[in-house]
Amino acid sequence: MKLRLTKIAVSLAALIPLARLAWRALHGGLGANPIEFITHSTGDWTLIFILTTLSITPLRRITRQYWLIGVRRMVGLFAFFYGCLHFTTYIWLDKFFDIHEMVKDIAKRPFITVGFSAFVLMIPLALTSTAWSIRRLGGKNWQRLHRLIYLTGILGVAHYIWLVKADLRKPLEYGIVLSMLLLYRVGVWVSEKRKPAIPTPARSLV
Ligand code: HEM
């Protein structure tokens, strides 16, 4: 019951950026270039949700708040949701489904290919986010597949660093947060490897 209420609260909180965007759109608050505003806002939130998803495991271990695992999948799905909005803004509002324009743009601005790769990698994660998929794939395989989120994060940050022309501060801040979250995983992996294998007790033959 408590987890259900937490999930509802997290979902409502996760929809605030979209609600703010809709509010601004209805009240003429999207600035001189509304498409650019929407692209930037949805891109930012995609990255924020990816980093939030990646921070749940360390946060859960450090604070021993084990219930946090119950919202991780949902936060990941919101990353995908904002990624879809970001992608849709580009192909619909920005390029109006004009394939020629898109090909020309991609050739001119290769950072779009990097963003696109990050987005494509999120698709199998979103498709296998159900309890049924975990059962079908088996816990270990599911975990292996879901490590793709590390690559998504790296490509997402690379996409941002690449597209910025002058002030690199914001993408680098995201990069630092991502590096810390990935280093945490490396640290855990190394310490697990170093642990001595627990010997199985010798069976008595008597
Ligand atoms: C996981 C996937 C992605 C992430 C995390 C991401 C993230 C971002 C971020 C953070 C920004 C800059 C926001 C700002 O300036 O505040 C951005 C801008 C942009 N993204 Fe993405 N993006 C992704 C996928 C894509 C895809 C699939 C496309 C198009 C096919 C795309 C096209 C763009 C464009 C055109 C801009 C604006 C560039 C400019 O200002 O000149 N992105 N994205």
Side-chain angles (χ1 to χ4, degrees):
M1 183 65 186
K2 207 173 141 198
L3 184 63
R4 244 177 86 189
L5 286 178
T6 310
K7 281 186 173 179
I8 294 171
V10 172
S11 302
L12 291 176
L15 287 170
I16 291 175
L18 179 63
R20 244 186 49 200
L21 208 52
W23 175 269
R24 278 173 172 269
L26 290 173
H27 295 85
L30 295 179
N33 188 339
I35 296 175
E36 192 179 289
F37 190 98
I38 298 172
T39 308
H40 286 195
S41 169
T42 50
D44 262 335
W45 283 103
T46 308
L47 205 44
I48 291 168
F49 277 104
I50 290 173
L51 296 179
T52 309
T53 310
L54 282 171
S55 60
I56 288 179
T57 296
L59 206 65
R60 183 186 65 130
R61 289 215 184 137
I62 293 164
T63 62
R64 293 172 192 266
Q65 296 292 319
Y66 298 110
W67 59 270
L68 279 170
I69 199 72
V71 294
R72 190 178 58 178
R73 238 187 301 167
M74 214 176 67
V75 178
L77 281 173
F78 272 107
F80 183 62
F81 173 67
Y82 280 98
C84 288
L85 292 181
H86 186 58
F87 180 55
T88 310
T89 307
Y90 177 76
I91 58 164
W92 185 10
L93 302 183
D94 197 0
K95 300 292 165 215
F96 223 80
F97 303 108
D98 186 336
I99 301 283
H100 287 294
E101 257 302 305
M102 282 188 237
V103 172
K104 252 173 44 195
D105 196 24
I106 289 168
K108 208 172 78 193
R109 305 194 295 171
F111 72 80
I112 292 178
T113 311
V114 178
F116 185 69
S117 314
F119 177 67
V120 167
L121 289 180
M122 291 172 97
I123 297 172
L125 306 186
L127 290 179
T128 57
S129 68
T130 57
W132 180 82
S133 298
I134 302 176
R135 274 198 308 276
R136 227 197 124 104
L137 288 170
K140 277 261 168 272
N141 286 335
W142 188 87
Q143 261 182 349
R144 258 183 229 131
L145 175 70
H146 279 249
R147 284 190 194 128
L148 278 180
I149 186 148
Y150 306 150
L151 198 51
T152 300
I154 293 169
L155 291 172
V157 169
H159 167 70
Y160 195 2
I161 291 176
W162 202 342
L163 72 88
V164 163
K165 281 154 203 113
D167 190 356
L168 273 169
R169 259 175 309 176
K170 217 171 135 198
L172 286 181
E173 275 166 23
Y174 283 125
I176 291 169
V177 174
L178 177 70
S179 309
M180 280 161 52
L181 293 169
L182 295 182
L183 275 174
Y184 172 85
R185 266 113 182 143
V186 174
V188 169
W189 182 77
V190 170
S191 72
E192 298 274 310
K193 281 264 163 216
R194 278 205 187 146
K195 268 190 202 153
I198 301 162
T200 47
R203 243 189 266 155
S204 165
L205 294 173
V206 183

